[in-house]
Amino acid sequence: MFSSSYSLAEIQRRIDEVQRFLSVTLSIANAHTVEFYTHDAWSRFVAVPPQEVLSHVCSRDDQQREPEHKANEQTRTTFGFCNDTNRLVDTREMVQAAKAHSLPGLGVCMSRDELLQALNGSHSQSGPLVSAIDAELGTDEFMNAKKSHEVKSMSEVVACLAQRCGIKQVIDVGSGKGYLSSFLSLQYGLRVYGIDSSSTNTHGAQKRNRKLKKSSRPHQKHNQAARAPGEATVSPQEELVDVKPGLDGDDDDVVDVDGVGIVSREEQEEVLIGLSDVIPAVERHSDSNPETEELFLSALSVDALQPTSPRVPPTQLSAEERERRKRDNLERKAQNGTTSVMFFTSYVTAETELREFINELEDAVMVGLHTCGNLAPSTLRMFVAKPELAAVCSVGCCYHLLSEEFDPAGQECLPGVCGFPLSQFLRDRSWFCGRNARMSACLALERVSLGQGIQMESLFYRAVLHVILRDHYDSFKSEKRVGNVYSKAKSFVDYVRRALRRLELEELKLSDADIQDYHDTYRPRMGEMHAFNMLKVTLAPCIEGLILLDRLCYLKEQEDLSFAALVQLFDPLLSPRCYAVVALKSWEEGRSC
């Protein structure tokens, strides 16, 4: 069915290969740039000139030149590192090995087109993907080029997953500003529930979604075409709400429901407007003709004809009752198609009960677009644990924010909570990456290769500052951070002065000439730092690959999955974190993806 899906044994073999490569090279990735000069990192790890490293790392030609500095023929090396000294002696061998142990080199990823073809062609009951509207929504005026590319690329995959499983609900974890949620709803007609830990994000996402719906001509045309001839543009309740201002009279028409959900004030008001308000309004426009009244009453639903209790002023409702009415109203509108996006504010973990937010939870696709740190592995754990989640499409980021179970520094976390390792295969080996290595994994090789590289001067300033702190201050190992001082500094001397003030250290201890002497002393060695950081960039795809293979291995270890794969969704030049973990569950007959 999915010929490009690798077996668990094959994934474990690829992990073995990457693990062996990183066991030799990871020390470079874990070297902190701030300590580059204080720890003499170049001499410790590299035995070749900086120019040789740069010539091989920066070359885009697979047929690379012979190294200028040749190792002794009797020197035994592993991936370019001397077995005796553990120093790099053959840059070309190391660069070629890094390419071979990246995800493209390992050949374990599907392309987005391959995945879409497999999803569209693997289920006999699924036809071509059908959009909810005739034209594609324009995103350029709402998103930058990067976000527009990500949203369009990912939403088509998510819509195909939903169609293949025959479901209409999507849960967007870490929904942020709501771009993906809104696009999935407006373009593909899916019912989306966005969850984010920031109330600011969910507040803005709801407002942004309403503006997008109002300004989207294809969506307006679709809504008009979907109505039956002669059907009113809005219901009587909606007309009343539409012409009334917000309850507080301003434009800020979104409120947080006790830190759980986001509800617009116009929706809040609609809950409080009963049929007792609607019927008198209609009666005022009638002549009290019995036949007219009978026709009107027959057009109402059975629920509307039930006796209603007198309207209670909003100020007299308890907080629990207000929340219940808001939640019921939102869910009723979602079921009726009036609204198809809801946003909630909550911190999400693998143990989060989705039904606490979504009373009418059905089978759903779980998605996450650039979910930070531990949220990405938590999304996968939740997918495995929740039977109502049929598929997952997760793109993680911010690897430096992952917690590690086997951190030798003692910052341990409980099993099932840590972000890495996720698979039992790597957990049995107690594998540890390190924060600096995970930070290196966030570097963008493709961008750096095209010159969109690292701001070397700022890194150089910070490393030389660390030498000054070591030589003249006792607090150079302080946990205090310098912060973004470089962007405001006019010179190295100004940079050091600002940094010392930020660290609350005596800046008059050194004269301007003393500070400038440090700069002039280390400036000729700036090439070493540049070359060293390029080695880190070269290793970045391998470290990211291990983290993602670990997540794929975790899914392969589960028994109830029919498919799991790594998929390159995005152009790495536009979006460096371009890989998604995609999986489908195996359900019983009649409920299978």
Side-chain angles (χ1 to χ4, degrees), residues 499-514:
L500 292 175
R501 288 194 293 270
R502 178 71 61 86
L503 296 172
E504 299 179 348
L505 297 175
E506 178 55 55
E507 62 173 299
L508 298 179
K509 193 173 184 178
L510 295 171
S511 67
D512 288 355
D514 292 334

Side-chain angles (χ1 to χ4, degrees), residues 45 70 133 139 179 187 200 203 214 227 242 253 298 306 309 326 383 399 410 412 425 444 478 490 493 512 528 590:
F45 298 112
K70 291 188 178 181
I133 56 180
T139 58
Y179 291 124
Q187 182 71 48
T200 302
H203 180 283
K214 290 179 180 178
R227 299 188 187 100
D242 193 46
D253 57 352
S298 65
Q306 298 298 323
S309 57
K326 294 170 186 175
F383 164 69
Y399 302 128
E412 298 181 356
F425 183 70
S478 171
K490 300 177 181 178
V493 173
D512 288 355
E528 294 177 357

Side-chain angles (χ1 to χ4, degrees), residues 538-563:
T538 303
L539 295 173
C542 307
I543 303 168
E544 179 182 34
L546 181 67
I547 294 172
L548 295 179
L549 284 171
D550 170 60
R551 295 175 183 177
L552 178 60
C553 185
Y554 167 76
L555 293 176
K556 292 286 186 179
E557 290 171 348
Q558 313 306 315
E559 296 181 352
D560 62 340
L561 267 62
S562 64
F563 170 76

Side-chain angles (χ1 to χ4, degrees), residues 182-253:
S182 295
F183 195 84
L184 285 169
S185 168
L186 298 177
Q187 182 71 48
Y188 295 106
L190 295 169
R191 189 184 308 163
V192 187
Y193 300 90
I195 306 175
D196 196 273
S197 62
S198 168
S199 60
T200 302
N201 280 346
T202 46
H203 180 283
Q206 185 75 8
K207 295 183 70 174
R208 195 173 292 107
N209 181 67
R210 288 201 306 277
K211 291 178 181 178
L212 183 61
K213 290 171 74 172
K214 290 179 180 178
S215 62
S216 171
R217 292 182 179 179
H219 184 263
Q220 292 171 353
K221 291 179 180 178
H222 170 70
N223 284 346
Q224 293 171 2
R227 299 188 187 100
E231 184 180 349
T233 304
V234 290
S235 65
Q237 295 98 320
E238 290 172 326
E239 285 182 352
L240 286 170
V241 172
D242 193 46
V243 297
K244 287 178 176 286
L247 294 181
D248 56 1
D250 59 25
D251 293 332
D252 191 10
D253 57 352

Side-chain angles (χ1 to χ4, degrees), residues 144 146-151 153-154 172-177 180 195-196 201 367-377 379 393-399 401 447 544 548 551 567 569-572 574-581:
N144 58 32
K146 174 180 179 291
K147 182 60 66 177
S148 177
H149 169 67
E150 293 165 350
V151 167
S153 298
M154 189 170 185
D172 185 3
V173 179
S175 52
K177 296 182 178 181
L180 178 64
I195 306 175
D196 196 273
N201 280 346
V367 302
L369 175 54
H370 290 154
T371 47
C372 291
N374 286 345
L375 184 56
T379 299
C393 182
S394 171
V395 180
C397 67
C398 304
Y399 302 128
L401 298 179
R447 287 184 174 181
E544 179 182 34
L548 295 179
R551 295 175 183 177
V567 183
L569 285 189
F570 311 135
D571 180 347
L574 282 174
S575 181
R577 304 283 76 78
C578 61
Y579 295 103
V581 180

Side-chain angles (χ1 to χ4, degrees), residues 33-35 37-38 457-473 475-476 480-483 485-486 492-503 505 510 515 518-519 522 529:
T33 305
V34 168
E35 300 169 338
Y37 295 121
T38 57
E457 189 175 63
S458 64
L459 297 177
F460 171 71
Y461 277 15
R462 183 62 183 88
V464 178
L465 171 66
H466 206 61
V467 178
I468 294 174
L469 295 177
R470 179 198 64 184
D471 292 349
H472 297 280
Y473 299 91
S475 58
F476 80 101
K480 292 183 180 179
R481 297 184 180 275
V482 173
V485 174
Y486 174 79
F492 178 71
V493 173
D494 186 32
Y495 171 85
V496 173
R497 296 289 186 205
R498 289 174 180 270
L500 292 175
R501 288 194 293 270
R502 178 71 61 86
L503 296 172
L505 297 175
L510 295 171
I515 295 174
Y518 275 94
H519 175 276
Y522 284 94
M529 175 176 280

